[in-house]
Amino acid sequence: MSQNKSKFVKSAAILSLVGMLCGCGTIPFTQKAPNFDSTYTINAEITYDKLKAKANLTRMENNEWEFKFTEPKQLNGLSVKLNQNGYSASLGGLSFSAENNSSYINAPRLIASAVGKLSDAANSISTSDGVLTINEELDGNRFIITVNERGGELISLKCPSRRLTVNFSEQKPYTQTLPEDGGVTITAE
């Protein structure tokens, strides 16, 4: 190859690389935004006013959640389900209605509402050291949610005006067992 052709090829390669880096092209190693509409199960340590609790959360759909409390022992086994029709609570085989303003209904409702709005929060996201921070307002309450930038896993949620703090861990895709199919499991993604 002649020296002029070699310089031309090198220049073209450098210009292509510069174009890709400045946004004029597609960078092959660019991360895609996390899918905030995914379904999953996740552990949560919840502090809500004076209530300190642990729960396993399942997000089955955007407006369908289940909170299974494991601590404190007074709440162990309590299941609170939220969906577009409202909420229901059960303990063992007993189903009951709970007061609309009780802590074990309000905390799940606030958490589900705030996390449900994440996919609409594109304008309020900042990033630092691999963590996305989302500042969002919902019903007059400011929420700060942190998420792992790479995989979209929830890290924490804070609502200072409601004295709500949640630390999340061990997020996994939601798996549902279908008893009519002999116990086959389906993972929704």
Side-chain angles (χ1 to χ4, degrees), residues 79-121:
S79 175
V80 175
K81 293 183 180 182
L82 304 165
N83 59 37
Q84 62 271 9
N85 298 323
Y87 61 88
S88 63
S90 63
L91 182 61
L94 301 172
S95 294
F96 55 93
S97 65
E99 290 183 35
N100 197 26
N101 62 356
S102 65
S103 295
Y104 57 87
I105 296 298
N106 272 338
R109 184 177 315 153
L110 288 168
I111 295 166
S113 296
V115 173
K117 294 287 185 185
L118 284 178
S119 52
D120 299 332

Side-chain angles (χ1 to χ4, degrees), residues 3 80 89 121 139 143:
Q3 192 174 15
V80 175
D139 298 330
F143 288 89

Side-chain angles (χ1 to χ4, degrees), residues 41-46 53-60 65-72 75-82 88-92 104 108 111 174-175 177:
T41 60
I42 192 166
N43 296 332
E45 291 183 16
I46 303 167
K54 291 185 179 180
N56 299 316
L57 284 57
T58 303
R59 183 178 192 260
M60 295 161 280
W65 290 79
E66 182 174 21
F67 290 68
K68 291 183 180 178
F69 288 91
T70 57
E71 289 183 25
L75 295 179
N76 188 15
L78 174 67
S79 175
V80 175
K81 293 183 180 182
L82 304 165
S88 63
S90 63
L91 182 61
Y104 57 87
I111 295 166
Y174 169 56
T175 303
T177 302

